Amino acid sequence: MKDPELILVLSKLFCKDKTLQKEIELAITTPKKYIERFQKDLLKRGIREDVDSIPWIALVDGLYRRNLLKELDWKSDPEEVIVICTTLLESYPKFDIIFKELSSIETEEDIEDIEEFIPTINEKLILFDLQVVVIDINSDSYPFTILPIPQVKEAIGLATSSGYGEIKPYTAPKKESRFLI
């Protein structure tokens, strides 16, 4: 069962812009009008008619149009992920320090899927109470954004409870202890 109110609450965690909520409301109440209005964006996703996931796609595409989300292919290289993360954080107060941290990441060429690399980014972002999350759209692309860590659990819960989709956190890899117990 889908709960449209929860996807609207979720959208407010990502963006205070009321026009985003209006776009999502349009996708919920009158999906055909939403599809007409955003036909060009939806055609890029192969969506030509009303589908159950239109409000979820409205959230992703709305965040993208506001430069609050970036979408990468599964095979994007780690360097590109770092650059895009820095662009998402340009307006953040500690941007210069975050930029230095992200730029210090040594990338490996044998990474086959960016899903393997996102925890490495989060290892640096955790220092600033931030985390990359992926808004899953059941494709081989990764629409991702960055949230303050205190909001991540709430976002995951709202997404799941809304019934529209899933938000995946990619936690930093656990460091092995030097001490054996």
Side-chain angles (χ1 to χ4, degrees), residues 74-173:
W74 65 274
K75 60 185 175 190
S76 297
D77 73 16
E79 299 278 334
E80 187 178 5
V81 178
I82 292 170
V83 168
I84 288 179
C85 283
T86 58
T87 62
L88 285 170
L89 293 165
E90 283 178 339
S91 64
Y92 195 79
K94 298 178 183 178
F95 175 73
D96 292 339
I97 301 167
I98 295 170
F99 179 80
K100 284 180 186 176
E101 283 295 324
L102 292 179
S103 297
S104 73
I105 295 173
E106 292 183 27
T107 59
E108 300 173 23
E109 296 200 16
D110 63 341
I111 292 176
E112 294 181 21
D113 189 326
I114 66 167
E115 190 170 26
E116 297 173 30
F117 185 66
I118 294 172
T120 304
I121 297 277
N122 279 335
E123 185 175 13
K124 296 291 185 178
L125 290 179
I126 199 168
L127 301 171
F128 305 97
D129 209 25
L130 298 169
Q131 183 173 347
V132 171
V133 295
V134 172
I135 302 175
D136 190 4
I137 57 170
N138 294 319
S139 79
D140 62 354
S141 69
Y142 290 87
F144 70 92
T145 189
I146 298 172
L147 284 175
I149 289 174
Q151 292 180 346
V152 172
K153 188 175 182 179
E154 183 180 3
I156 292 167
L158 286 167
T160 302
S161 297
S162 76
Y164 283 100
E166 181 181 9
I167 292 178
K168 295 180 178 180
Y170 290 89
T171 56

Side-chain angles (χ1 to χ4, degrees), residues 34-51:
Y34 178 86
I35 292 168
E36 282 176 23
R37 182 171 171 199
F38 296 101
Q39 182 178 21
K40 189 175 179 181
D41 293 339
L42 294 169
L43 284 174
K44 289 177 189 173
R45 295 192 181 283
I47 299 172
R48 290 173 174 71
E49 57 190 42
D50 185 11
V51 292

